[in-house]
Amino acid sequence: MQKTKLTLLASTMLSLTFGQVAQASSHREAPNITRTPTVDSTDFYAFNSYEEGRGEYVTLIANYIPLQDAYGGPNYFAMDPAALYAIHIDNDGDAVEDMSFTFKFSQTLPNDNAGVTLMVGPEGEQKAVGVPLKNVGGISASDQANANFKENYSVNLVSGPMRTGTSAAVMNDTSGSASFGKPLDYIGNKTFASAEQYKAYADSFIYSATIPDCDSPAKVFVGQRKDPFTVNLGKVFDLVNFVPVEGDSAPGAGDEGGFPGGITQSTDNDDLADKNVTSIAIEVPKACLIGSGNGSIGAWTTASLPQARILNPNASFANTEVNGGAMTQVSRLGSPLVNELVIGLADKDTFSSAAPQDDGQFADYVTHPTLPELLNILFRDAVNTTLGTDIETLAPTHFPRTDLVTAFLTGFEGVNQLSVVTPSEMLRLNTGIEAKSADMQSAFGVAGDDLAGFPNGRRPGDDVVDIALRVVMGRLCYPIPVNGEEVDLGLCAPEDASVGNVPFTDGAPSNASMMDSSFPYLAMPLPGSGAE
């Protein structure tokens, strides 16, 4: 067995373990951020592009504004114009960003922010009155005159640390300006006529862009998408209110030949099936990301707000508040589920505001994770009763969990470890590993014999849920199949994990077929109304 494949498999499983019971990506992950959902990051993806002909590119996607109901009108889900949204890249391993793509949004109404008006009243008593809706008629890619609201944004490349580095504009190749447009959310099929028409409309907001000092053009898109994450959200946080073990002999077999009473695979188990998100997506040439490093990068997303916000007691559309003070980070996301299911409640807001180079303060949550102990408390007696066993503990017993430290803070040498190793939490991607087309991907990433998948970056169709459940309960203590061979990773032993070979699952399947196979990869958003 080659060391690279062995260590990459370990990386997969370990990173997933740190993700813990990857049941709910970053949807409302910390107390403070729940009060400002427009800057709440839900998921972050970094992967080698698998669209045909785009093999020399990396796609980075940061999703924001969780749990969007498609029918959430009349104002729907605009970005915060006071916020600074960012995607950061560390390409040398010092846990400090070497480059950041920053996104700043603005909002306008027609007629100098007065909005569209209608003449109301009989002749001689008519008045021009502003309408309450964001659209006053049908909208298409070729005719957007009926839109009563518009969002634009700028993109800057900051070289060096984001707060002190050098900033230069990313240019829109279509307009030759530094401004990009964001489509209206998918209001419904009376406004946009059909799903096909909304797709054409939204696709018109996919831009070719010029990045400073980058020889090849990038792609940029910001807009509403179907939430790509699948999760049994409500039951998970109701003290795991289901039996989290596969109830069929194999996923989808429908034979109830697995664990007695165990959950089986169904999209009905996905509580996010009817939710949308807002995606910030950029596709960048690999050569423009890796710098002088070894080809692996670390990536994460943040959102920041001004320290002070003074509300206008006589607010208007263009003057709701005055913002001032330094931009302050309020949201952060690299690997999925870290803040929700690893970091203790008292430190969640601290993690949201922390930088990767300061992650040593959270070490205890990794070396002595609480989630396995919680699952043991919840299910040990039931497991022993069902199986007629006398298992002392379901939780792994090897401490400290150095396997998790390796995945969470350092990466693996020869796989996704950067040229310098600084312990820090981020999503690590080896840009030199060739992407796999959507039809060839394994939803289990490296654990499914697919080196291009999670935790070597993360693709939208990677199912981090089931793998994470199994790993947190000790799957790495047992031999792992790699290329058909059972391989002992040497991280721990079977006696360290009493249920480490059990097929844990949340029952909510995810795979690449549920996504698009071209930029921006995430599926079309759900319509607020299906009427034709």
Side-chain angles (χ1 to χ4, degrees):
M1 176 58 55
Q2 293 181 344
K3 180 180 179 182
T4 295
K5 290 188 176 181
L6 178 61
T7 54
L8 183 53
L9 178 61
S11 173
T12 300
M13 306 302 286
L14 295 170
S15 292
L16 289 170
T17 306
F18 183 74
Q20 304 292 327
V21 184
Q23 299 290 342
S25 204
S26 289
H27 296 76
R28 297 172 57 83
E29 79 277 12
N32 186 50
I33 201 64
T34 62
R35 299 189 294 176
T36 49
T38 55
V39 288
D40 188 355
S41 51
T42 70
D43 282 285
F44 181 66
Y45 302 90
F47 55 94
N48 294 315
S49 298
Y50 50 90
E51 179 180 353
E52 186 175 356
R54 306 293 287 184
E56 294 305 311
Y57 288 78
V58 166
T59 296
L60 306 158
I61 304 173
N63 289 344
Y64 281 85
I65 313 181
L67 304 176
Q68 296 180 18
D69 290 319
Y71 49 81
N75 289 297
Y76 300 96
F77 304 97
M79 303 295 267
D80 188 337
L84 186 69
Y85 301 84
I87 293 173
H88 308 280
I89 304 295
D90 172 19
N91 55 33
D92 59 16
D94 63 358
V96 177
E97 62 271 20
D98 296 291
M99 55 194 304
S100 299
F101 294 99
T102 63
F103 295 74
K104 195 78 170 65
F105 292 83
S106 63
Q107 303 174 0
T108 58
L109 301 180
N111 303 321
D112 294 324
N113 282 335
V116 173
T117 61
L118 295 178
M119 298 303 296
V120 181
E123 186 175 352
E125 295 184 12
Q126 287 186 330
K127 292 186 177 182
V129 181
V131 302
L133 306 179
K134 284 191 171 180
N135 65 304
V136 295
I139 297 172
S140 68
S142 59
D143 185 0
Q144 300 174 32
N146 287 323
N148 191 32
F149 178 82
K150 186 176 184 180
E151 283 184 277
N152 286 332
Y153 61 95
S154 61
V155 186
N156 277 39
L157 171 64
V158 181
S159 300
M162 188 178 76
R163 305 301 183 196
T164 61
T166 302
S167 182
V170 173
M171 300 300 291
N172 183 337
D173 291 340
T174 301
S175 66
S177 72
S179 180
F180 300 82
K182 174 178 174 287
L184 287 173
D185 292 343
Y186 195 174
I187 296 169
N189 286 336
K190 185 174 184 180
T191 295
F192 291 104
S194 67
E196 292 74 20
Q197 289 295 317
Y198 185 81
K199 181 180 184 335
Y201 164 75
D203 285 353
S204 71
F205 291 85
I206 298 175
Y207 298 97
S208 173
T210 296
I211 297 174
D213 300 320
C214 187
D215 292 336
S216 300
K219 286 185 179 180
V220 179
F221 171 80
V222 177
Q224 193 179 50
R225 299 281 96 179
K226 165 73 178 68
D227 194 328
F229 206 74
T230 61
V231 55
N232 206 339
L233 187 62
K235 291 183 178 180
V236 165
F237 288 112
D238 184 23
L239 301 177
V240 192
N241 191 8
F242 60 96
V243 178
V245 182
E246 179 59 57
D248 286 338
S249 60
D255 57 9
E256 298 183 1
F259 190 84
I263 194 168
T264 58
Q265 303 301 306
S266 171
T267 55
D268 292 341
N269 295 325
D270 176 21
D271 287 337
L272 303 184
D274 62 350
K275 304 299 182 185
N276 293 327
V277 291
T278 299
S279 297
I280 298 173
I282 184 167
E283 186 183 48
V284 184
K286 293 179 180 179
C288 302
L289 290 176
I290 61 176
S292 59
N294 63 0
S296 290
I297 61 173
W300 66 101
T301 183
T302 64
S304 300
L305 289 170
Q307 282 183 314
R309 175 171 288 184
I310 301 174
L311 301 179
N312 183 353
N314 188 29
S316 64
F317 174 81
N319 188 18
T320 58
E321 66 212 27
V322 175
N323 292 283
M327 297 299 289
T328 303
Q329 182 179 305
V330 295
S331 178
R332 168 191 171 193
L333 178 58
S335 298
L337 310 164
V338 170
N339 211 358
E340 295 89 338
L341 294 170
V342 179
I343 305 299
L345 188 60
D347 285 331
K348 287 181 180 293
D349 291 322
T350 304
F351 184 86
S352 290
S353 61
Q357 67 264 33
D358 299 324
D359 284 340
Q361 65 187 301
F362 307 114
D364 287 351
Y365 293 118
V366 186
T367 60
H368 293 71
T370 58
L371 184 59
E373 299 301 328
L374 291 172
L375 292 176
N376 175 61
I377 293 169
L378 291 170
F379 291 105
R380 184 190 63 182
D381 290 346
V383 167
N384 282 329
T385 299
T386 300
L387 299 181
T389 54
D390 188 24
I391 299 172
E392 183 176 352
T393 178
L394 304 181
T397 56
H398 57 291
F399 294 98
R401 294 290 296 267
T402 52
D403 51 352
L404 305 187
V405 171
T406 303
F408 171 48
L409 297 176
T410 66
F412 278 76
E413 183 181 0
V415 184
N416 63 349
Q417 193 173 88
L418 277 66
S419 54
V420 174
V421 179
T422 304
S424 53
E425 196 286 307
M426 59 182 73
L427 191 59
R428 291 174 170 86
L429 171 68
N430 186 337
T431 65
I433 293 178
E434 186 177 352
K436 284 193 175 183
S437 61
D439 61 336
M440 296 298 293
Q441 291 178 20
S442 168
F444 292 95
V446 179
D449 201 14
D450 180 356
L451 298 179
F454 187 69
N456 180 34
R458 181 188 177 195
R459 301 169 303 199
D462 288 342
D463 189 349
V464 298
V465 175
D466 290 0
I467 306 172
L469 273 169
R470 298 169 195 189
V471 174
V472 71
M473 298 308 292
R475 182 64 182 91
L476 297 185
C477 297
Y478 293 75
I480 302 296
V482 181
N483 290 332
E485 299 179 19
E486 294 291 321
V487 179
D488 184 353
L489 301 181
L491 300 168
C492 47
E495 54 265 30
D496 295 325
S498 59
V499 293
N501 59 351
V502 170
F504 290 97
T505 179
D506 77 331
S510 178
N511 58 70
S513 70
M514 301 164 69
M515 314 297 163
D516 289 342
S517 57
S518 60
F519 184 84
Y521 291 99
L522 306 188
M524 274 243 305
L526 302 170
S529 166
E532 297 290 342

